[in-house]
Amino acid sequence: MPRGSQLAAWAFLLPVVVYLGAFYAYPLYRNVDLSLRHYTVRSFVQGGAPFSGWDNFRQVIDNPTFSTALRNTMVFTLVSILFQYVLGLGLAVFFHRGFRLAPTLRALFLIPWLLPLIVSASTWSWMFNSESGVVNYGLHLVGVGKVDWLTSPHWALTSVIIANIWIGIPFNLVILYSGLQNIPAELYEAASLDGATGWQQFRRITFPLLRPVSAITVLLGLIYTLKVFDLIWIMTRGGPGDSSTTLSTWSYRYGFGSLLPDFGPGAAVGNILILIALAFGLFYIRLQRSQPA
C-alpha cells in the first residue's frame, strides 16, 4: 500500500482511536484506580490517595448489602429480559403477519423506547402511587385492596421490574421484527402446503432461524439491564431499605449518596458490575463460535 494511502487510513482511524481512548479506556482506567486506592474528597480533588489493594473489594463483599444487591440485580435483569423477549417476540410475530393498522400500531409501540427515562420513571411512580395511582384505582374497581407498590419491601422490586419490562419491549420488538423480515416467505408457503399449523411453523421455522438475532438481542438487553440506574433511583431510590437496591444504585449511593462519599468502594461495585457484563459477553462469543457455520 502506498505511503499516502496508509497515512489517509490512519487519519480516518485517528478520531475513532481518540474517542475510544477518551470516553472508554481512560474512564475505565480511572474507575480501576479508584477501586484500588483509599480516596477521600480531598485526595480525589488534590491527588495522593494511598494504594489500598483489594481492601475496597473486601469491604464491599463483606457488606451484608452485597448479597442483597447482587440477588436483586440478577432477579431484575433475568426477569426483565425474559418478559421483554417473550412479549417482544410475540408482538413481532403478530405484526409480521401484516394488516392495515400494523405500521401505525408498531410505531405507537416505540413510544416507551423513545421517551426519556426520567419521564417514564416519573410516570410509573405516579401510576404506582399508593393513594392516587391509577394502578391501585384499577385494582379497587375489581375488588382488590390497596397495594403499596413503591413503599413495601415486598413490592418495590416488582414495581421497577414491571416498569423496565414496559420500557424494553419496543427494543426487542424492533430487532426481532427485523429478523423476521429476513426469513424467506417460501419456507412458510412450503410448510403450509405440507399442512403445518401456525405453531408448528413457529417452532420449526421462525424460532430456529431467529436464533442469531435472538442471541444478540438478549445479550444487548442483558448488558443494558444490568446497568439500569435512573429508573430504579427515581422510582424507589433502591428502597425501602435495600429491597430494590441493585449493584448500580448501590455504587451510586457509595459515591454520591452522602456528604462523605466512599469513592473506592463505589468504584469497586462498578467494576464488579463490569465483570458480570464482560462474563455475559464472553459467554455469547463462545456460544457463537460453537454454533455450526
Side-chain angles (χ1 to χ4, degrees), residues 12-217:
F12 280 109
L13 188 61
L14 183 61
V16 178
V17 174
V18 172
Y19 171 79
L20 292 176
F23 294 100
Y24 287 89
Y26 180 72
L28 181 60
Y29 160 75
R30 285 290 295 150
N31 201 60
V32 172
D33 180 69
L34 280 171
S35 66
L36 297 177
R37 296 181 181 275
H38 178 66
Y39 273 94
T40 62
V41 175
R42 181 174 181 177
S43 60
F44 183 80
V45 176
Q46 298 180 355
F51 183 77
S52 59
W54 301 104
D55 288 349
N56 290 322
F57 288 92
R58 280 193 288 267
Q59 177 182 336
V60 165
I61 294 173
D62 291 341
N63 193 312
T65 303
F66 176 73
S67 58
T68 301
L70 183 62
R71 182 181 66 251
N72 289 344
T73 301
M74 293 297 102
V75 171
F76 177 80
T77 301
L78 297 179
V79 174
S80 294
I81 292 302
L82 174 63
F83 280 92
Q84 287 172 357
Y85 177 79
V86 171
L87 295 176
L89 178 59
L91 289 170
V93 172
F94 173 72
F95 286 121
H96 185 61
R97 295 176 178 273
F99 51 93
R100 180 174 297 179
L101 293 178
T104 302
L105 292 177
R106 197 165 64 246
L108 291 176
F109 268 99
L110 292 178
I111 292 177
W113 193 28
L114 299 176
L115 285 174
L117 273 175
I118 188 172
V119 175
S120 300
S122 300
T123 302
W124 278 100
S125 295
W126 169 73
M127 292 173 61
F128 279 133
N129 186 279
S130 300
E131 303 299 330
S132 58
V134 295
V135 175
N136 273 352
Y137 179 74
L139 293 176
H140 171 72
L141 293 179
V142 296
V144 178
K146 183 181 73 172
V147 177
D148 296 322
W149 293 99
L150 303 178
T151 57
S152 169
H154 303 292
W155 288 104
L157 185 62
T158 301
S159 302
V160 294
I161 289 175
I162 292 173
N164 191 61
I165 291 172
W166 179 80
I167 292 172
I169 288 174
F171 172 78
N172 287 260
L173 167 61
V174 170
I175 303 300
L176 295 172
Y177 181 81
S178 299
L180 288 173
Q181 298 288 87
N182 294 323
I183 298 178
E186 293 81 4
L187 296 177
Y188 294 106
E189 294 173 1
S192 297
L193 292 176
D194 290 338
T197 63
W199 170 248
Q200 289 173 330
Q201 292 180 28
F202 173 80
R203 190 162 58 92
R204 299 292 186 181
I205 300 174
T206 304
F207 193 70
L209 294 180
L210 270 182
R211 281 177 183 169
V213 178
S214 297
I216 191 64
T217 303

Side-chain angles (χ1 to χ4, degrees), residues 219-248:
L219 174 66
L220 293 175
L222 277 169
I223 294 174
Y224 171 78
T225 307
L226 277 172
K227 63 183 181 64
V228 167
F229 160 76
D230 33 15
L231 175 72
I232 301 174
W233 191 257
I234 292 171
M235 291 184 65
T236 66
R237 294 186 177 270
D242 292 326
S243 59
S244 61
T245 295
T246 60
L247 292 176
S248 60

